[in-house]
Amino acid sequence: MNPFRQRLAQARSFGGLVGAVVAILTGVALFLSALGKPLINASFDWPFRYRTPVVPEEVVLIYMDDYSHAELDQDPSRPWSRLLHAELVERLTQQGARAIVFDVVFSSPASNFLADPQMAEEWDARLTEAMRRHGKVVVAAEYGRLEMEGAVAWRILPIYERVEKAVAAVGHSYTTVSSDYTIRLFPEAVDYGGEPFPSLCEAAAQVLGYVDPPHGTRYINYFGPPLTLRSESYFTVYRGDTPPDLFKDKVVFIGARQSTGMTGEGKDEFRNPWPRYLEAAAGEHDAEVQIRSFSPGTEIQATAFCNLMRKNWMVAIPDSLQLGLLILLGAGVGFGLAMLRPTWAVPVAVVLVVGEAAAAIALHWKAAVWFAWLIPPVQIGAATLWSVLFNSVRLYFEKMLAEAEARTEKAEKQRLEAEQKLLEQERALLRETLVKQLSPGRVEQILKNPELLKPGTRRQIISIMFSDIEAYSKLSENLSPDELAEQLNAYYELTLGCVHETEGTVVKLIGDAIFAIWNAPFSQEDHARRACVSALLLRGRLAAHDQQRAGPVMRTRVGLNLGEASVGNIGSSQRFDYTAVGDCVNIASRLEGMNKMVGTGVLATEAIRRAVGDQIVFRPVGLFRFKGVTQFQFVYEVVGLPEQAEASRAWREAFAEAWELFATRQWDAAEKAFRHVLALKPEDGPCHYYLERIQELRAQPLPPDWRGQIILHEK
C-alpha cells in the first residue's frame, strides 16, 4: 500500500475515535448538567402531544371556580363557607358518590375566619357530621417548608382536629414542580415522624382498597390536555343542575380553579405537557388557549389517583442505564459516521434520529416508559458535524493522492496493454492448434482453464458414450467420396448437436464413430442422465432426418457406461489431446458393438441404470461377459423418457418374464414367451437373439449355477 494512503487510512481510524469521544462527551454533558434539563423535560412532554386523549370514567371534578365565587358570594381571599361544603357532601352522599376528595386544607376551626362563634360551631358540626356519615371523605394537608432558628425543615402542617377525626384519610397536597412550572414527578408519600405520610391521591386510593406495590421513581401519566377529566362548576352542582346519576359510584375531587386571585391558600395551576403547541400557536392575545395550557392542581391529583387505580403511571429508564446507553450510542455513532462520506453520513444520521424517536414514542405510548430521548439526536448531530468536517479534509487529500495514482496507473495500464497484446497473439496461435481437434465451444472452455492445457490426467467418475453408424462399410461402398462426405457432414451436424445440448464433451471423431464423455472436464451431478438423453436425442433426430430426405438410411448404435477413468491432456505441451482412458471406456465401446449382435440401438451398463434410476426407462437385455473381462454384468436397453414408459410397459414386462424362463432353463416356455413378445413388438432384436440361443443351449450341458449368463467371444 502507498505509505501516504496508509497514513490516510490510519487518520480515518483516528477520526473515528475523535468522533466517538465528541459524541460521548456531548451526551454525558447534556445528561448530567443543567444544559440538558430542557431536553430531558421535553423528552417526557413531547410524546403526550401526539397521543389520543382518554377521559377516565371513574372520577368527576368539582371546581371552586370564578363563576362559583361570584354566584355563591365567596370572597377569593378567604376560605369558603363550610356550610356550602357540608351541603355539597350531603348532596354527593345522596347521589351515591364512591368517595369524596377535598383538595382543600381545613387547617383551623371556622371561628378563625367567622365572626359569629355560634354559626362557626354549627358550620363545623354540620361539615364533620356530613363527612362522617359518608365514610369515605379524604382531605388535604399542607406539607410546608419551615425556617426555625436558621435551620430549614419540612413537615406536615396539622389540620383541624375535628375534621381529621371525621374523615377517612388525610393526604398531603405537595407536588414537585419543575423549573418550567410543570409537574412530572408523581405525588409520593413523605416521611413524617419516621412513618410514611401518603399524598392526597395515595390516601384516596388506599381508602378504596388500593395497596401500593414496591416501585421506583414514578411520573404522572397525563390523560390529555388541561380540563380533559370530566368536571363541573361548584355552583352548578350546588344548585342541582347536574344529571342525578353523574356522581354515582364516582370518586369526586373538589378543588380550586381560578384564573386570578386566591382560594384560601392561593392560585393552584401548573403547566400540562400536552398543549404547549397550542400556546405557541395562539399568540399573546388568545388568553383562553393560554389559560388552557395550565392544569388545576386538583386535576393533577385526580390524574395521579387514576394512575394508581389503573396502575399505568409513567416510569423512567434508570439514570445509570441511560448514561451507559448514551456512552455506547456515542461510541458507535461517533466512530461509524466518521467512517462514512458526508453524502452517506447525513442520511444515515437522519434515519437513526427518526428510528430512535419512533422507538421512544412507542415506549412512551405502549409501555408508559420514557427516557431522555432528545439527547441522542444532539449526539448524532455532533457526530454528523464532525464526520462532515473530518471527511471533507480527508477527501481533499484522497483526491490529491488519487490524481497521483492515476498518473501512475496510466503508465501501468500502457505496460499491461502491451503484455495483453502479446498474450492474445500467443492465445491465437494456441487456438489455431486446438480447433483442429476440438469444437470452438470446448476450445474456449479450455482456454479459460489453463490448467487443462498442462500434460497429465486425473482420476474422475465419468459417463461415456460410443456411437457408430450401422453398416457404414456398405454405405461407403455405395456412395461416391463427395456424397459420403456430404452424408457424414449432415450426420455429425445432428449427432454432435445432441452431445452439446446435454453439455457433453466430444473427445474424438473416429471415422463414423463418436467418443463423448460427461462430468469432465467440468463437474455435472446428473452426468449419467445427460448421456442417456443425448443417446435418445441422437436416435430420434436421425430417424426424423431419414424420413425427410431421400437416400440411404443412417442408423446409429450407441453404447453407454459409467466408471472411473484417467481424464486429461494425454500428449505433450506442444500437442493437446484431451481424452479419457480406462476399462470403463473399453466397456462402452464393446456395448456399442454388442448392439449389432442383439439387434438393439442403445445399450447401457448396470452402473448407468443405477445412477439414472427412474429418470430413464430401461429394458434388461441379459447377463453378459465381454471378451477379456472376468465379471458378468447386466446389460440394459435404453428405451425412452419416463413419459414414454406406459406405451412400452406391456412388451417390456413380457420380455422380462420370458428372460426369467430362459434363465431357469424352461426352454419351451421361454421360446413361447419370446414369441409372445414378438407379437407385441415385431422385429424385436433381443427376442430373435434369445430364440437362436435357446436352440443352441438345448443341446449343451450347462453348469448347475447357470442363470442365463452368456459369454461373448467377439469384441
Side-chain angles (χ1 to χ4, degrees):
M1 180 185 288
N2 185 308
F4 187 62
R5 183 170 291 280
Q6 187 174 10
R7 286 196 292 272
L8 279 177
Q10 293 171 349
R12 191 179 186 189
S13 298
F14 176 75
L17 293 175
V18 172
V21 171
V22 168
I24 290 172
L25 291 178
T26 300
V28 172
L30 288 174
F31 190 75
L32 297 179
S33 71
L35 291 174
K37 199 63 179 176
L39 291 175
I40 296 174
N41 288 340
S43 297
F44 177 84
D45 296 347
W46 284 7
F48 282 112
R49 303 180 182 182
Y50 309 103
R51 282 170 52 176
T52 302
V54 176
V55 180
E57 296 294 332
E58 58 265 38
V59 297
V60 178
L61 280 62
I62 298 177
Y63 285 125
M64 296 182 288
D65 52 13
D66 294 338
Y67 172 67
S68 299
H69 274 84
E71 293 297 326
L72 295 173
D73 194 23
Q74 297 298 302
D75 185 351
S77 64
R78 294 170 60 82
W80 273 48
S81 166
R82 292 187 179 175
L83 182 60
L84 293 176
H85 289 331
E87 292 176 355
L88 179 63
V89 172
E90 292 168 354
R91 183 182 296 275
L92 294 175
T93 301
Q94 292 174 358
Q95 294 187 6
R98 187 181 180 192
I100 302 172
V101 183
F102 275 96
D103 188 12
V104 177
V105 177
F106 297 95
S107 58
S108 60
S111 58
N112 282 15
F113 54 88
L114 195 64
D116 186 344
Q118 184 177 355
M119 182 178 294
E121 171 61 24
E122 291 176 359
W123 284 11
D124 285 342
R126 185 168 178 182
L127 175 60
T128 54
E129 179 59 26
M131 290 176 170
R132 187 178 295 107
R133 188 180 303 115
H134 184 280
K136 291 185 179 179
V137 177
V138 182
V139 297
E142 187 175 355
Y143 182 60
R145 181 175 181 271
L146 300 177
E147 294 186 11
M148 302 175 61
E149 300 179 355
V152 177
W154 287 80
R155 71 185 187 91
I156 301 293
L157 300 181
I159 66 170
Y160 181 32
E161 181 180 2
R162 192 169 180 180
V163 171
E164 184 177 7
K165 291 180 179 180
V167 298
V170 179
H172 71 81
S173 59
Y174 176 78
T175 50
T176 303
V177 183
S178 301
S179 58
D180 59 354
Y181 217 60
T182 303
I183 295 178
R184 298 180 180 87
L185 284 169
F186 206 86
E188 301 284 5
V190 298
D191 182 74
Y192 183 56
E195 296 292 333
F197 192 88
S199 64
L200 184 62
C201 59
E202 288 178 316
Q206 290 168 6
V207 165
L208 296 178
Y210 172 78
V211 178
D212 206 9
H215 57 79
T217 303
R218 296 185 288 196
Y219 297 82
I220 296 177
N221 190 354
Y222 285 90
F223 293 100
L227 306 184
T228 294
L229 275 61
R230 175 68 186 272
S231 63
E232 296 290 341
S233 172
Y234 194 108
F235 177 70
T236 303
V237 178
Y238 181 80
R239 192 174 54 189
D241 291 343
T242 57
D245 59 345
L246 174 62
F247 302 105
K248 183 175 178 57
D249 297 326
K250 298 294 194 300
V251 178
V252 182
F253 280 76
I254 304 168
R257 181 192 171 220
Q258 295 175 266
S259 58
T260 58
M262 310 170 56
T263 301
E265 287 74 23
K267 185 177 177 181
D268 181 29
E269 294 201 339
F270 306 92
R271 287 188 181 274
N272 183 305
W274 282 70
R276 293 195 182 177
Y277 65 96
L278 294 175
E279 180 183 6
E284 61 182 9
H285 300 296
D286 193 341
E288 178 61 26
V289 175
Q290 289 199 18
I291 289 172
R292 287 203 61 199
S293 67
F294 287 84
S295 284
T298 303
E299 184 175 45
I300 293 173
Q301 290 286 353
T303 299
F305 166 79
C306 292
N307 288 167
L308 288 174
M309 300 304 292
R310 297 184 176 205
K311 297 182 180 179
N312 68 341
W313 56 79
M314 299 291 298
V315 296
I317 294 176
D319 288 354
S320 58
L321 179 57
Q322 289 196 58
L323 192 60
L325 292 175
L326 288 174
I327 292 173
L328 289 176
L329 177 66
V333 171
F335 188 88
L337 292 181
M339 298 295 105
L340 301 176
R341 291 175 176 268
T343 50
W344 278 102
V346 173
V348 168
V350 171
V351 170
L352 289 175
V353 169
V354 172
E356 190 260 353
I361 292 174
L363 275 175
H364 197 287
W365 289 2
K366 303 297 183 182
V369 175
W370 76 282
F371 61 97
W373 60 273
L374 287 175
I375 292 180
V378 181
Q379 279 186 295
I380 295 170
T384 304
L385 179 61
W386 167 253
S387 174
V388 171
L389 293 175
F390 168 72
N391 283 291
S392 296
V393 175
R394 183 179 62 82
L395 291 173
Y396 170 76
F397 284 105
E398 281 191 354
K399 181 181 178 182
M400 293 177 58
L401 178 60
E403 291 174 352
E405 289 178 339
R407 291 190 292 269
T408 304
E409 185 180 351
K410 183 177 180 181
E412 181 67 13
K413 183 178 180 181
Q414 292 173 346
R415 184 185 67 79
L416 292 175
E417 287 176 351
E419 292 181 356
Q420 184 66 24
K421 186 175 181 181
L422 180 61
L423 180 61
E424 288 296 330
Q425 292 173 351
E426 294 176 352
R427 289 170 62 89
L429 292 174
L430 180 60
R431 184 180 286 105
E432 290 179 6
T433 302
L434 295 177
V435 294
K436 297 176 183 177
Q437 302 177 23
L438 305 169
S439 66
R442 188 57 64 193
V443 169
E444 293 302 324
Q445 285 183 307
I446 292 174
L447 289 176
K448 292 177 181 178
N449 291 270
E451 291 296 321
L452 297 175
L453 297 172
K454 298 179 181 180
T457 62
R458 61 187 175 91
R459 303 295 291 178
Q460 176 72 31
I461 299 295
I462 60 173
S463 292
I464 309 113
M465 181 182 82
F466 267 93
S467 74
D468 200 0
I469 297 176
E470 181 181 326
Y472 176 72
S473 299
K474 183 178 180 181
L475 180 67
S476 61
E477 290 175 359
N478 296 331
L479 296 175
S480 67
D482 290 341
E483 291 174 332
L484 180 60
E486 182 182 349
Q487 293 292 338
L488 285 177
N489 286 336
Y491 171 76
Y492 284 133
E493 186 72 25
L494 284 172
T495 55
L496 295 183
C498 297
V499 175
H500 292 153
E501 281 186 31
T502 57
E503 299 182 354
T505 300
V506 178
V507 176
K508 282 184 175 63
L509 300 178
I510 309 169
D512 63 321
I514 299 174
F515 172 23
I517 62 175
W518 284 261
N519 204 38
F522 305 103
S523 297
Q524 297 165 316
E525 292 185 2
D526 58 342
H527 53 91
R529 186 192 65 82
R530 291 173 183 266
C532 293
V533 171
S534 179
L536 292 172
L537 287 174
L538 190 153
R539 184 179 67 184
R541 290 182 183 177
L542 277 178
H545 178 70
D546 288 338
Q547 292 178 357
Q548 295 174 2
R549 67 179 183 87
V553 175
M554 298 181 69
R555 296 189 181 92
T556 187
R557 296 187 291 256
V558 178
L560 300 172
N561 191 22
L562 181 149
E564 187 178 56
S566 294
V567 183
N569 181 11
I570 302 177
S572 66
S573 57
Q574 288 76 31
R575 185 178 185 280
F576 183 79
D577 185 15
Y578 190 82
T579 188
V581 294
D583 290 340
C584 58
V585 177
N586 295 330
I587 295 296
S589 177
R590 301 282 181 86
L591 281 173
E592 179 273 317
M594 183 180 170
N595 281 290
K596 180 179 179 180
M597 181 177 64
V598 298
T600 52
V602 183
L603 290 178
T605 60
E606 175 73 18
I608 285 285
R609 189 199 67 80
R610 283 199 306 267
V612 172
D614 58 1
Q615 299 179 73
I616 298 292
V617 178
F618 293 92
R619 180 257 293 264
V621 174
L623 189 61
F624 297 91
R625 190 181 77 188
F626 296 102
K627 184 178 180 179
V629 179
T630 60
Q631 298 291 329
F632 285 93
Q633 59 179 296
F634 258 102
V635 175
Y636 295 83
E637 181 184 10
V638 179
V639 177
L641 297 173
E643 53 266 27
Q644 300 164 336
E646 197 59 37
S648 62
R649 186 181 305 280
W651 64 262
R652 284 189 292 109
E653 292 177 351
F655 181 86
E657 293 175 2
W659 190 86
E660 284 295 328
L661 294 170
F662 171 81
T664 55
R665 311 183 200 188
Q666 302 178 55
W667 308 122
D668 293 338
E671 183 175 4
K672 183 179 179 181
F674 281 124
R675 294 191 184 283
H676 173 65
V677 177
L678 288 173
L680 298 174
K681 186 175 183 286
E683 304 301 327
D684 183 59
C687 285
H688 289 294
Y689 174 78
Y690 279 111
L691 288 173
E692 293 177 5
R693 297 287 77 74
I694 289 172
Q695 300 307 318
E696 296 175 2
L697 295 173
R698 282 179 187 274
Q700 293 181 11
L702 298 173
D705 60 347
W706 187 86
R707 281 288 297 163
Q709 305 96 315
I710 297 176
I711 300 174
L712 302 177
H713 299 287
E714 297 181 0
K715 291 187 178 180

